[in-house]
Amino acid sequence: MRRPASHFLRIVAVTLAGAWAPWAYAAGWYGGVAAGWGSIDITAADWNSDGTLADVSVGNSGPAYKFFAGYRFGRHLWLDVASVKLNDTSFQATATGSKPSLWRPGPVSGKTEATGVSVAPVFSWPFGKAAAVFVKGGLFFWDSKSQSGPALLTGGALTGDVREVNEDGVSLTYGGGLEVRAYKALRLRGEWEHFRVGINRTGDKAVTLMTLGVTLRF
């Protein structure tokens, strides 16, 4: 009676080991860096709330980068944490002084910057050991700062002629991409991501980020 039971236990052990092997092989830590181009959906209207600016020119895209690290629980599930520097934005305009205004008459300008930390589970589908596509979604903990002037005293801190507004918050983030094996533990990662951040107290703005990076698996 012991031999069938022993044989059954061996079959179960081999089956479980075979099922677990791909997951155990793929588990481990990773880290990397990526850089690319970002765009924030901020417009002239977001700076010209009182309607006294003319010839408003807005730059809402530019370089961005991030550092990331995470853990692979298996071939299909990772946890990704990233420190992200989003692109800066800027504007230039002329304050007309045609009516009571936030601005002093004459040339005015401003800029914004935003950073954050994202935490997201990643679901991947590998193609052997050569490549994997992935999608992810999670939370983005962000901070932003905007400076503009010459300004009259309004909401926010005024240092000299510069009005400064600081904001922070939490929003959803999602994205996806492709990771390709370059050499042993080194991977190349191309990625598209979507964020939302508050800018200059004009509500949450959509942010898109496209990056190319390198990943090292440990």
Side-chain angles (χ1 to χ4, degrees):
M1 296 296 294
R2 293 182 181 179
R3 297 182 66 182
S6 177
H7 182 63
F8 174 75
L9 290 176
R10 282 198 298 269
I11 293 175
V12 171
V14 170
T15 302
L16 291 177
W20 172 250
W23 290 78
Y25 177 80
W29 297 95
Y30 66 89
V33 61
W37 198 257
S39 178
I40 299 178
D41 185 25
I42 188 169
T43 67
D46 294 315
W47 295 104
N48 196 16
S49 59
D50 62 0
T52 62
L53 297 182
D55 303 321
V56 184
S57 173
V58 176
N60 62 0
S61 61
Y65 60 88
K66 66 175 184 174
F67 299 94
F68 58 90
Y71 188 81
R72 306 183 317 279
F73 295 97
R75 300 180 66 196
H76 303 292
L77 179 62
W78 317 338
L79 180 64
D80 195 89
V81 179
S83 176
V84 186
K85 172 64 174 71
L86 298 175
N87 63 283
D88 297 339
T89 75
S90 63
F91 89 98
Q92 293 181 331
T94 300
T96 62
S98 58
K99 59 182 179 180
S101 172
L102 303 175
W103 312 97
R104 294 184 181 179
V108 296
S109 62
K111 62 181 180 179
T112 74
E113 57 185 62
T115 60
V117 174
S118 65
V119 180
V122 181
F123 302 93
S124 74
W125 189 262
F127 297 93
K129 294 183 179 181
V133 295
F134 62 88
V135 295
K136 66 180 185 179
L139 297 176
F140 186 55
F141 302 84
W142 54 265
D143 293 277
S144 72
K145 179 173 71 173
S146 64
Q147 294 179 317
S148 56
L152 302 178
L153 182 59
T154 60
L158 191 67
T159 303
D161 289 334
V162 178
R163 175 176 178 259
E164 182 175 304
V165 177
N166 294 281
E167 298 183 68
D168 59 76
V170 183
S171 60
L172 296 177
T173 178
Y174 57 87
L178 173 68
E179 191 172 84
V180 178
R181 184 183 185 189
Y183 178 74
K184 293 186 178 179
L186 186 67
R187 265 74 174 170
L188 299 179
R189 176 189 285 199
E191 192 168 1
W192 174 91
E193 294 173 276
H194 176 89
F195 307 92
R196 295 194 73 87
V197 298
I199 298 288
N200 199 38
R201 293 183 182 162
T202 56
D204 287 353
K205 302 300 179 184
V207 184
T208 57
L209 176 61
M210 298 187 68
T211 56
L212 180 63
V214 292
T215 304
L216 183 64
R217 293 188 175 185
F218 303 102

